[in-house]
Amino acid sequence: MLRIYTRISRVLFTSLLATAATSPIVLAQGLGSSPYSALGIGELYPTGNATNIGMGGIGISNSSPFYLNLQNPALLGSRPPYTVFEVGLVGQSKTLSQSIGNETQVQRDFGGNLGYLALAFPANSRWSMSLSLRPYTFVNYNITQASIVQLGQSVAEYNYSGRGGLNKASFATGYRLLKTVFVGVEASFLFGNITNSSDSRVIINQLGVGPQDTRVNRLSRANYSDIVWKLGAAWRPKINDTWTVNLGATYDPSTRVKGSETQIYQQTTLAGLNLGPADTLLNNSTGRTTLPQQMNFGVSIERANRLLVGVDVGFQQWGKYRTINDQLGDLVDGMTVATGLEYTPKPTSNKYADLITYRAGFQYNKLPYQVKGTQINDINGSLGLSLPVGAYYVNHVTLSLVVGQRGVLSTSQIREQYVRIALGFSLTDRWFRKPVID
């Protein structure tokens, strides 16, 4: 039996990596333009699946026999002996606003991506494993600035843009150590690249055809690939026959991720013609970027798959982030507080309406971004539901909606108002059943 699981794990893991290398949708394409993604390694994707997103993102202490938990590997040990395959899609529409002078400039944008692809299966009655592929961060911004130079005689134009992001291919395992105690670990291959470019010119000839109209370009491309770890633990004691208290915690240790960087300096005309050979400042220069430690804690109370209420708290030491050149990353420590609930009217009923699961949640984030001494906040609320489908109603289609805002409308901050939609599919089956011969 172990040989079968080993073979399946190798085949599936190879398939996930092949998909990551060949399919552009699973690479970090982003959830629309965001100026804040210019900082650090970009914006972080939601860590949970569609069910977690619909209940404020909580998932450190709570799990379900019908859905995967991608946030705490220890909770894999609490799963029943069924195989679950999940895929999720995430889309986001946002409105960006900023006050400039007496006017408010507005930009609308939309982006979508594969949220996750995951498979979990049991090794025995106390031990389960999972494989997953999901985006980790995304970078997507395009900023233009202008300033007066030479005592008002000319205008300097600056353009900044960035694309790319990081992805995670993960193997996780959870084990039931005692009757109500679970431990787990996740090993992830973190990979991807981020390209940042900037250019500047002094506008002397408005037609852009004079010899003075020269653009100075600088391109930086960083590639990352390394193994990162996550540790998890959970305690799920019963209060009585119907109620259970769940406690969970995860720890992501600080990791020095290997990478390489290339930087190129080039002078061009406005039409893009080179005015000379490019100057390579760095050519695949190797280094390590420091991802800081992160800690998450969760507590929830549930009643036999019918009602669950929980709270998660997370701390991220992004102030200790270092770039691939071991420079400070202009980030600050972050914090997350989330609360959510999940309700299924009658989980043992045969009526379809009684098996629909409803969710709601709230999340408050102190983001690692700081603008002129003010830390950016993100506040959002969420709703979700899961519709059972298929034989015995053990498969589910999940839809979650998140509405939120980050930043405030001012001359120094950019306000982002967003609507995020997550669509998830969960398929459950039992593998390796021994045939019964009468």
Side-chain angles (χ1 to χ4, degrees), residues 40-42 137 139 141 161-167 190-197 218-225 257-264 282-289 321-326:
I41 55 173
T137 70
V139 175
Y141 66 93
S161 62
R163 294 292 184 274
L166 304 183
N167 306 275
L190 187 68
F191 65 97
N193 62 77
I194 297 173
T195 299
N196 296 288
S197 64
R218 183 166 180 162
L219 178 70
S220 173
R221 180 182 176 91
N223 297 283
Y224 302 90
S225 61
V257 176
K258 293 184 293 185
S260 63
E261 185 177 20
T262 297
Q263 291 186 9
I264 299 175
L282 295 174
N283 187 15
N284 287 325
S285 175
T286 59
R288 290 180 180 268
T289 187
Y321 166 77
R322 296 294 184 273
T323 68
I324 199 170
N325 298 317
D326 202 29

Side-chain angles (χ1 to χ4, degrees), residues 198-202 211-219 264-281:
S198 61
D199 63 72
S200 61
R201 72 159 178 141
V202 176
Q212 305 93 339
D213 290 288
T214 300
R215 190 181 297 278
V216 179
N217 304 275
R218 183 166 180 162
L219 178 70
I264 299 175
Y265 169 88
Q266 177 75 65
Q267 287 187 340
T268 67
T269 66
L270 297 187
L273 298 177
N274 296 335
L275 295 178
D279 187 5
T280 301
L281 306 179

Side-chain angles (χ1 to χ4, degrees), residues 5 62-69 73-86 119-130 174-176 179 182 236 302 305 394 396 426-433:
Y5 281 117
N62 52 290
S63 66
S64 168
F66 300 109
Y67 317 102
L68 281 183
N69 184 304
L75 294 174
L76 286 169
S78 67
R79 291 197 51 79
Y82 295 98
T83 299
V84 178
F85 173 75
E86 288 197 359
L119 174 73
F121 49 91
N124 55 42
S125 60
R126 304 167 66 103
W127 178 27
S128 291
M129 297 175 284
S130 73
Y175 184 77
R176 178 164 57 86
K179 185 176 181 181
F182 307 87
R236 300 165 62 85
E302 67 174 301
N305 297 320
V394 295
H396 293 82
S426 179
L427 307 177
T428 303
D429 198 3
R430 186 161 189 169
W431 289 10
F432 309 118
R433 286 179 293 184

Side-chain angles (χ1 to χ4, degrees), residues 328-401:
L328 286 173
D330 295 327
L331 300 178
V332 295
D333 293 348
M335 183 186 70
T336 299
V337 178
T339 182
L341 63 87
E342 180 181 69
Y343 174 69
T344 306
K346 295 181 180 179
T348 59
S349 173
N350 292 324
K351 295 182 178 180
Y352 185 85
D354 293 337
L355 302 177
I356 298 175
T357 301
Y358 305 90
R359 301 180 183 90
F362 173 83
Q363 189 179 83
Y364 170 78
N365 300 283
K366 292 184 72 68
L367 300 176
Y369 314 131
Q370 187 172 262
V371 178
K372 293 186 177 181
T374 302
Q375 191 166 2
I376 306 299
N377 296 325
D378 184 324
I379 302 175
N380 63 71
S382 57
L383 295 172
L385 60 84
S386 289
L387 303 174
V389 295
Y392 307 108
Y393 295 140
V394 295
N395 305 316
H396 293 82
V397 176
T398 299
L399 180 65
S400 296
L401 177 69

Side-chain angles (χ1 to χ4, degrees), residues 415-433:
R415 183 183 66 187
E416 295 186 4
Q417 297 173 310
Y418 59 87
V419 177
R420 185 179 304 151
I421 298 176
L423 179 64
F425 303 89
S426 179
L427 307 177
T428 303
D429 198 3
R430 186 161 189 169
W431 289 10
F432 309 118
R433 286 179 293 184

Side-chain angles (χ1 to χ4, degrees), residues 282-338:
L282 295 174
N283 187 15
N284 287 325
S285 175
T286 59
R288 290 180 180 268
T289 187
T290 301
L291 297 185
Q293 69 175 7
Q294 302 184 48
M295 296 177 289
N296 295 279
F297 307 92
V299 57
S300 58
I301 183 171
E302 67 174 301
R303 179 184 177 185
N305 297 320
R306 183 174 184 179
L307 176 65
L308 182 140
V309 180
V311 176
D312 283 0
V313 179
F315 304 93
Q316 309 91 33
Q317 294 185 340
W318 284 106
K320 296 183 178 180
Y321 166 77
R322 296 294 184 273
T323 68
I324 199 170
N325 298 317
D326 202 29
Q327 302 296 315
L328 286 173
D330 295 327
L331 300 178
V332 295
D333 293 348
M335 183 186 70
T336 299
V337 178

